PDB file of all heavy atoms in Angstrom:
ATOM      1  N   PRO A  10      90.876 121.411 104.268  1.00  0.00           N
ATOM      2  CA  PRO A  10      89.859 121.839 103.292  1.00  0.00           C
ATOM      3  C   PRO A  10      89.966 121.177 101.914  1.00  0.00           C
ATOM      4  O   PRO A  10      89.774 121.849 100.901  1.00  0.00           O
ATOM      5  CB  PRO A  10      90.123 123.338 103.189  1.00  0.00           C
ATOM      6  CG  PRO A  10      91.619 123.474 103.391  1.00  0.00           C
ATOM      7  CD  PRO A  10      92.031 122.344 104.287  1.00  0.00           C
ATOM      8  N   GLN A  30      82.572  95.074 100.904  1.00  0.00           N
ATOM      9  CA  GLN A  30      84.010  95.182 101.163  1.00  0.00           C
ATOM     10  C   GLN A  30      84.381  96.607 101.562  1.00  0.00           C
ATOM     11  O   GLN A  30      85.144  96.823 102.506  1.00  0.00           O
ATOM     12  CB  GLN A  30      84.809  94.759  99.915  1.00  0.00           C
ATOM     13  CG  GLN A  30      86.323  94.765 100.116  1.00  0.00           C
ATOM     14  CD  GLN A  30      86.759  93.805 101.212  1.00  0.00           C
ATOM     15  OE1 GLN A  30      86.394  92.627 101.203  1.00  0.00           O
ATOM     16  NE2 GLN A  30      87.523  94.303 102.191  1.00  0.00           N
ATOM     17  N   ALA A  41      90.331 102.135 113.641  1.00  0.00           N
ATOM     18  CA  ALA A  41      91.774 102.373 113.798  1.00  0.00           C
ATOM     19  C   ALA A  41      92.069 103.837 114.098  1.00  0.00           C
ATOM     20  O   ALA A  41      93.058 104.154 114.752  1.00  0.00           O
ATOM     21  CB  ALA A  41      92.506 101.941 112.532  1.00  0.00           C
ATOM     22  N   GLN A  51      84.480 110.693 102.965  1.00  0.00           N
ATOM     23  CA  GLN A  51      85.750 110.971 103.655  1.00  0.00           C
ATOM     24  C   GLN A  51      86.898 110.096 103.165  1.00  0.00           C
ATOM     25  O   GLN A  51      88.058 110.414 103.398  1.00  0.00           O
ATOM     26  CB  GLN A  51      85.581 110.779 105.166  1.00  0.00           C
ATOM     27  CG  GLN A  51      84.670 111.812 105.797  1.00  0.00           C
ATOM     28  CD  GLN A  51      84.474 111.513 107.263  1.00  0.00           C
ATOM     29  OE1 GLN A  51      83.602 110.751 107.643  1.00  0.00           O
ATOM     30  NE2 GLN A  51      85.323 112.078 108.115  1.00  0.00           N
ATOM     31  N   SER A  64      79.304 102.596 120.528  1.00  0.00           N
ATOM     32  CA  SER A  64      79.422 101.775 121.743  1.00  0.00           C
ATOM     33  C   SER A  64      80.831 101.859 122.317  1.00  0.00           C
ATOM     34  O   SER A  64      81.800 102.036 121.585  1.00  0.00           O
ATOM     35  CB  SER A  64      79.086 100.313 121.421  1.00  0.00           C
ATOM     36  OG  SER A  64      80.096  99.746 120.609  1.00  0.00           O
ATOM     37  N   GLU A  65      80.922 101.724 123.663  1.00  0.00           N
ATOM     38  CA  GLU A  65      82.220 101.720 124.350  1.00  0.00           C
ATOM     39  C   GLU A  65      83.065 100.537 123.868  1.00  0.00           C
ATOM     40  O   GLU A  65      84.270 100.652 123.694  1.00  0.00           O
ATOM     41  CB  GLU A  65      82.007 101.535 125.867  1.00  0.00           C
ATOM     42  CG  GLU A  65      81.386 102.725 126.561  1.00  0.00           C
ATOM     43  CD  GLU A  65      82.416 103.762 126.960  1.00  0.00           C
ATOM     44  OE1 GLU A  65      83.552 103.372 127.271  1.00  0.00           O
ATOM     45  OE2 GLU A  65      82.079 104.966 126.922  1.00  0.00           O
ATOM     46  N   LEU A  92      87.068 113.070 111.750  1.00  0.00           N
ATOM     47  CA  LEU A  92      88.345 112.486 111.315  1.00  0.00           C
ATOM     48  C   LEU A  92      88.934 113.264 110.136  1.00  0.00           C
ATOM     49  O   LEU A  92      90.137 113.178 109.889  1.00  0.00           O
ATOM     50  CB  LEU A  92      88.157 111.012 110.948  1.00  0.00           C
ATOM     51  CG  LEU A  92      87.760 110.105 112.123  1.00  0.00           C
ATOM     52  CD1 LEU A  92      87.499 108.683 111.634  1.00  0.00           C
ATOM     53  CD2 LEU A  92      88.822 110.108 113.212  1.00  0.00           C
ATOM     54  N   SER A  93      88.117 114.044 109.444  1.00  0.00           N
ATOM     55  CA  SER A  93      88.616 114.866 108.329  1.00  0.00           C
ATOM     56  C   SER A  93      89.072 116.248 108.787  1.00  0.00           C
ATOM     57  O   SER A  93      89.576 117.024 107.973  1.00  0.00           O
ATOM     58  CB  SER A  93      87.540 115.024 107.252  1.00  0.00           C
ATOM     59  OG  SER A  93      87.304 113.774 106.635  1.00  0.00           O
ATOM     60  N   ALA A 111      67.073 103.452 105.896  1.00  0.00           N
ATOM     61  CA  ALA A 111      68.298 103.138 105.155  1.00  0.00           C
ATOM     62  C   ALA A 111      68.235 101.697 104.677  1.00  0.00           C
ATOM     63  O   ALA A 111      67.321 100.944 105.032  1.00  0.00           O
ATOM     64  CB  ALA A 111      69.519 103.341 106.049  1.00  0.00           C
ATOM     65  N   ASN A 113      70.483  98.090 104.582  1.00  0.00           N
ATOM     66  CA  ASN A 113      71.612  97.470 105.282  1.00  0.00           C
ATOM     67  C   ASN A 113      72.488  96.694 104.293  1.00  0.00           C
ATOM     68  O   ASN A 113      72.220  96.678 103.087  1.00  0.00           O
ATOM     69  CB  ASN A 113      71.138  96.596 106.455  1.00  0.00           C
ATOM     70  CG  ASN A 113      70.327  95.396 105.998  1.00  0.00           C
ATOM     71  OD1 ASN A 113      70.388  94.985 104.831  1.00  0.00           O
ATOM     72  ND2 ASN A 113      69.566  94.830 106.918  1.00  0.00           N
ATOM     73  N   ASP A 120      64.191 100.862 109.315  1.00  0.00           N
ATOM     74  CA  ASP A 120      64.015 102.150 109.984  1.00  0.00           C
ATOM     75  C   ASP A 120      64.803 102.112 111.277  1.00  0.00           C
ATOM     76  O   ASP A 120      64.869 101.079 111.934  1.00  0.00           O
ATOM     77  CB  ASP A 120      62.541 102.385 110.332  1.00  0.00           C
ATOM     78  CG  ASP A 120      61.781 102.990 109.163  1.00  0.00           C
ATOM     79  OD1 ASP A 120      62.216 102.784 108.016  1.00  0.00           O
ATOM     80  OD2 ASP A 120      60.766 103.661 109.424  1.00  0.00           O
ATOM     81  N   LEU A 121      65.368 103.252 111.630  1.00  0.00           N
ATOM     82  CA  LEU A 121      66.161 103.333 112.852  1.00  0.00           C
ATOM     83  C   LEU A 121      65.773 104.607 113.584  1.00  0.00           C
ATOM     84  O   LEU A 121      65.700 105.670 112.975  1.00  0.00           O
ATOM     85  CB  LEU A 121      67.651 103.370 112.460  1.00  0.00           C
ATOM     86  CG  LEU A 121      68.663 103.616 113.558  1.00  0.00           C
ATOM     87  CD1 LEU A 121      68.824 102.369 114.416  1.00  0.00           C
ATOM     88  CD2 LEU A 121      70.012 104.005 112.950  1.00  0.00           C
ATOM     89  N   GLU A 122      65.517 104.466 114.893  1.00  0.00           N
ATOM     90  CA  GLU A 122      65.291 105.652 115.726  1.00  0.00           C
ATOM     91  C   GLU A 122      66.583 105.906 116.459  1.00  0.00           C
ATOM     92  O   GLU A 122      67.170 104.983 117.027  1.00  0.00           O
ATOM     93  CB  GLU A 122      64.196 105.372 116.768  1.00  0.00           C
ATOM     94  CG  GLU A 122      62.862 105.031 116.162  1.00  0.00           C
ATOM     95  CD  GLU A 122      61.821 106.135 116.368  1.00  0.00           C
ATOM     96  OE1 GLU A 122      62.163 107.179 116.961  1.00  0.00           O
ATOM     97  OE2 GLU A 122      60.687 105.938 115.907  1.00  0.00           O
ATOM     98  N   VAL A 142      80.869 119.681 105.730  1.00  0.00           N
ATOM     99  CA  VAL A 142      81.748 119.362 106.853  1.00  0.00           C
ATOM    100  C   VAL A 142      81.274 120.181 108.059  1.00  0.00           C
ATOM    101  O   VAL A 142      80.816 121.320 107.887  1.00  0.00           O
ATOM    102  CB  VAL A 142      83.214 119.702 106.489  1.00  0.00           C
ATOM    103  CG1 VAL A 142      84.169 119.370 107.622  1.00  0.00           C
ATOM    104  CG2 VAL A 142      83.622 118.951 105.212  1.00  0.00           C
ATOM    105  N   ARG A 149      82.367 132.345 110.130  1.00  0.00           N
ATOM    106  CA  ARG A 149      83.333 132.458 109.029  1.00  0.00           C
ATOM    107  C   ARG A 149      84.746 132.630 109.555  1.00  0.00           C
ATOM    108  O   ARG A 149      85.698 132.096 108.992  1.00  0.00           O
ATOM    109  CB  ARG A 149      82.983 133.655 108.123  1.00  0.00           C
ATOM    110  CG  ARG A 149      81.710 133.452 107.372  1.00  0.00           C
ATOM    111  CD  ARG A 149      81.712 134.231 106.060  1.00  0.00           C
ATOM    112  NE  ARG A 149      80.598 133.768 105.241  1.00  0.00           N
ATOM    113  CZ  ARG A 149      80.722 132.829 104.321  1.00  0.00           C
ATOM    114  NH1 ARG A 149      81.889 132.281 104.065  1.00  0.00           N
ATOM    115  NH2 ARG A 149      79.668 132.432 103.633  1.00  0.00           N
ATOM    116  N   GLN A 152      85.993 129.317 110.679  1.00  0.00           N
ATOM    117  CA  GLN A 152      86.261 128.475 109.503  1.00  0.00           C
ATOM    118  C   GLN A 152      87.580 128.852 108.853  1.00  0.00           C
ATOM    119  O   GLN A 152      88.359 127.987 108.463  1.00  0.00           O
ATOM    120  CB  GLN A 152      85.142 128.620 108.470  1.00  0.00           C
ATOM    121  CG  GLN A 152      83.859 127.928 108.878  1.00  0.00           C
ATOM    122  CD  GLN A 152      82.797 128.061 107.791  1.00  0.00           C
ATOM    123  OE1 GLN A 152      83.034 127.739 106.632  1.00  0.00           O
ATOM    124  NE2 GLN A 152      81.629 128.544 108.168  1.00  0.00           N
ATOM    125  N   ILE A 155      90.487 127.634 110.988  1.00  0.00           N
ATOM    126  CA  ILE A 155      90.655 126.173 110.891  1.00  0.00           C
ATOM    127  C   ILE A 155      91.306 125.818 109.552  1.00  0.00           C
ATOM    128  O   ILE A 155      92.228 125.001 109.493  1.00  0.00           O
ATOM    129  CB  ILE A 155      89.286 125.464 111.070  1.00  0.00           C
ATOM    130  CG1 ILE A 155      88.788 125.659 112.511  1.00  0.00           C
ATOM    131  CG2 ILE A 155      89.381 123.983 110.734  1.00  0.00           C
ATOM    132  CD1 ILE A 155      87.322 125.288 112.722  1.00  0.00           C
ATOM    133  N   ASN A 157      93.274 127.686 107.706  1.00  0.00           N
ATOM    134  CA  ASN A 157      94.692 128.070 107.728  1.00  0.00           C
ATOM    135  C   ASN A 157      95.518 127.078 108.527  1.00  0.00           C
ATOM    136  O   ASN A 157      96.600 126.674 108.105  1.00  0.00           O
ATOM    137  CB  ASN A 157      94.863 129.467 108.330  1.00  0.00           C
ATOM    138  CG  ASN A 157      94.318 130.541 107.400  1.00  0.00           C
ATOM    139  OD1 ASN A 157      94.159 130.292 106.199  1.00  0.00           O
ATOM    140  ND2 ASN A 157      94.013 131.707 107.941  1.00  0.00           N
ATOM    141  N   GLU A 165     103.360 121.177 106.260  1.00  0.00           N
ATOM    142  CA  GLU A 165     104.491 120.740 107.093  1.00  0.00           C
ATOM    143  C   GLU A 165     104.686 119.231 107.025  1.00  0.00           C
ATOM    144  O   GLU A 165     105.786 118.735 107.225  1.00  0.00           O
ATOM    145  CB  GLU A 165     104.264 121.185 108.547  1.00  0.00           C
ATOM    146  CG  GLU A 165     104.617 122.654 108.740  1.00  0.00           C
ATOM    147  CD  GLU A 165     104.071 123.243 110.040  1.00  0.00           C
ATOM    148  OE1 GLU A 165     103.424 122.507 110.805  1.00  0.00           O
ATOM    149  OE2 GLU A 165     104.305 124.443 110.249  1.00  0.00           O
TER     150      GLU A 165
END
Side-chain angles (χ1 to χ4, degrees):
Q30 183 61 52
Q51 292 176 273
S64 69
E65 290 275 328
L92 295 176
S93 292
N113 65 19
D120 275 25
L121 173 74
E122 299 250 2
V142 181
R149 292 208 167 266
Q152 287 182 53
I155 293 167
N157 290 340
E165 280 165 1

